Amino acid sequence: MDTLIFEVGLAIALIAVVGVFSTKLRFSVIPFYILVGMVVGPHAPHFGIIDLRFIESSVFIDFMGRLGVLFLLFYLGLEFSVGRLIKSGKSIVIGGSFYVAINFVSGLLLGWMMGFPLKETMVICGIMTSSSTAIVAKVLVDLKRTANPETEVIMGMIMFDDLFIAVHISLLSGLILSGATSWTGVLFTSLTALVFILLFIVVGRRLMPWIDKALNVRSTELFLLLVIASLFLVSGFSETLHVAEAIGALLIGLVLAESVHAKRIEQLVLPFRDLFGAMFFFSFGLTIDPTSLGGAVWVAVVGVLLTIVANLLSGVFAGRASGVSAKSSVNIGFTLVSRGEFSIIMANIGKEGNLMPAVQSFAVLYVLILAVIGPLLTKESKMIYGLFQKVTGRVQARE
């Protein structure tokens, strides 16, 4: 019996239920989407038409998750502005560079400690460097901190981090997905990707008057068709140059962010981002066998500890460079701790490149832990800073 539609409906229902549950808890929904995907899947029971294994629909759900990556990156591109990053000031560039460097080095250190090969280590570096834009933005809104003096620094550092991740994904595509077997082949593929990215942005900006004219249609249906056609065509073409399709989605988003129609595009694309983005995390969970995660526990715990320390250091450094208080600097570091969508994208690149399964297992536990701990640390950052002051004050008094 054909149960494809029913299974997809069941998957969406499960996602909706955990979404409501996370909203009640006022918590990030991302770990819940992954967890519900892990609970069901090939190892789950089935009762007649209610088949929680999602056997018939697995390929379709995986494709919907793939669309989720495209819409997540496309929407990010629409909200990203290189000009805004430059205007944010030298302090954010300095803080962002330090943030990227110290987290990347943490990934190198973890890869070395665990004896991972080069490709696996580079994926882990990407996983550990990419803060979750979705979680950070939601936490700032939920805690009503959008007007805080350090929030501009936080968002600027995230923009800088996202820019780095875009470059890193293109390099990983050259290293892992292109099939190049020599360093010269990898370098050529990576340079081709970077040249394509730069040319696309430059040419896209030059063509903006014609793009605006082409999108100047009243019909919402035609407007949306033009936008989504552009998204899919650019993403698909990027793959032929060994540039990850996610980067193609980011690029078309970056170009259309300069359009006079940018706000209209955002409003129409938002529901697609939310639906397919949720399916992305759910489909990732479906690929994970919970019984296989045991071996990655200690690796994930070490990675989490390294990330918390690295983020605190980068927060303090960025805070000093921006002239905010020590308390705000600690808040910067804790707010950026959360990991989510981009870490999963990195893990998927490793999966597509047939890298060690341990990378997938590490990514699951690492993201789940930090997606839970990150918002809690952000919420209690003032209390933690107060406790730290009391402890250091007592130590100084004894001395």
Side-chain angles (χ1 to χ4, degrees):
M1 184 171 61
D2 185 358
T3 58
L4 175 62
I5 299 299
F6 183 82
E7 285 189 10
V8 172
L10 184 59
I12 295 173
L14 289 171
I15 291 170
V17 169
V18 297
V20 171
F21 183 68
S22 69
T23 302
K24 295 287 185 183
L25 295 177
R26 299 188 67 184
F27 220 78
S28 169
V29 75
I30 289 175
F32 288 94
Y33 288 157
I34 298 173
L35 282 171
V36 74
M38 289 170 57
V39 170
V40 297
H43 48 275
H46 64 287
F47 313 97
I49 192 174
I50 300 177
D51 190 347
L52 297 177
R53 296 173 300 174
F54 296 99
I55 294 173
E56 187 174 340
S57 59
S58 61
V59 175
F60 186 68
I61 288 174
D62 182 66
F63 178 70
M64 291 178 76
R66 191 172 167 186
L67 293 182
V69 176
L70 298 187
F71 282 107
L72 282 168
L73 271 291
F74 178 59
Y75 195 86
L76 175 66
L78 289 172
E79 295 194 318
F80 187 93
S81 170
V82 177
R84 246 173 61 208
L85 179 61
I86 295 171
K87 288 178 183 178
S88 294
K90 185 173 68 174
S91 59
I92 287 175
V93 175
I94 294 172
S97 299
F98 189 80
Y99 172 84
V100 165
I102 195 169
N103 279 284
F104 195 86
V105 169
S106 297
L108 289 175
L109 179 61
L110 183 64
W112 174 75
M113 289 169 61
M114 300 303 165
F116 286 129
L118 175 64
K119 291 181 179 180
E120 280 79 357
T121 299
M122 287 297 101
V123 172
I124 285 174
C125 286
I127 291 170
M128 293 182 65
T129 306
S130 49
S131 184
S132 172
T133 306
I135 295 177
V136 170
K138 189 175 188 306
V139 167
L140 288 172
V141 171
D142 289 348
L143 296 178
K144 299 179 180 178
R145 293 185 182 179
T146 53
N148 284 15
E150 71 273 14
T151 298
E152 184 180 344
V153 180
I154 292 169
M155 296 312 296
M157 289 174 69
I158 283 183
M159 288 171 63
F160 190 92
D161 182 47
D162 290 343
L163 184 62
F164 167 78
I165 291 302
V167 174
H168 189 62
I169 288 176
S170 68
L171 291 173
L172 279 181
S173 299
L175 179 64
I176 297 171
L177 303 180
S178 67
T181 55
S182 66
W183 277 107
T184 53
V186 171
L187 184 61
F188 177 76
T189 303
S190 300
L191 286 175
T192 302
L194 291 175
V195 169
F196 170 70
I197 290 170
L198 293 174
L199 278 177
F200 191 90
I201 294 173
V202 171
V203 173
R205 285 190 166 194
R206 292 286 179 89
L207 295 177
M208 189 49 62
W210 287 274
I211 294 173
D212 283 338
K213 188 175 181 180
L215 291 175
N216 190 25
V217 291
R218 287 188 177 184
S219 170
T220 301
E221 179 184 350
L222 290 177
F223 183 83
L224 189 58
L225 285 171
L226 287 170
V227 170
I228 293 183
S230 302
L231 168 61
F232 284 18
L233 287 172
V234 172
S235 300
F237 179 73
S238 299
E239 283 274 279
T240 65
L241 298 177
H242 303 297
V243 177
E245 60 187 22
I247 295 303
L250 178 67
L251 288 175
I252 189 64
L254 285 170
V255 170
L256 293 179
E258 307 293 330
S259 170
V260 296
H261 305 288
K263 289 298 178 185
R264 186 183 180 190
I265 296 172
E266 281 187 26
Q267 290 172 356
L268 291 174
V269 166
L270 184 59
F272 292 92
R273 186 205 68 175
D274 291 342
L275 171 61
F276 291 110
M279 292 300 291
F280 164 61
F281 294 111
F282 176 77
S283 65
F284 178 75
L286 280 179
T287 64
I288 304 300
D289 180 1
T291 60
S292 68
L293 298 179
V297 171
W298 288 111
V299 185
V301 169
V302 173
V304 166
L305 293 175
L306 285 172
T307 297
I308 292 173
V309 172
N311 277 39
L312 266 179
L313 290 174
S314 61
V316 170
F317 187 87
R320 286 184 177 179
S322 304
V324 299
S325 67
K327 185 188 293 184
S328 296
S329 298
V330 171
N331 188 38
I332 291 171
F334 281 146
T335 303
L336 293 170
V337 160
S338 298
R339 297 294 186 265
E341 60 274 21
F342 298 114
S343 296
I344 300 302
I345 290 170
M346 292 287 178
N348 277 347
I349 290 176
K351 180 185 175 184
E352 290 174 29
N354 295 316
L355 301 189
M356 294 169 59
V359 174
Q360 287 278 100
S361 300
F362 162 77
V364 172
L365 290 173
Y366 177 77
V367 168
L368 286 175
I369 294 170
L370 287 179
V372 171
I373 289 179
L376 288 176
L377 289 174
T378 306
K379 184 179 180 181
E380 304 299 338
S381 60
K382 292 180 182 179
M383 184 193 73
I384 295 170
Y385 177 75
L387 288 173
F388 178 76
Q389 275 195 319
K390 285 181 181 179
V391 171
T392 54
R394 287 174 184 173
V395 171
Q396 289 174 354
R398 287 177 183 175
E399 293 175 351

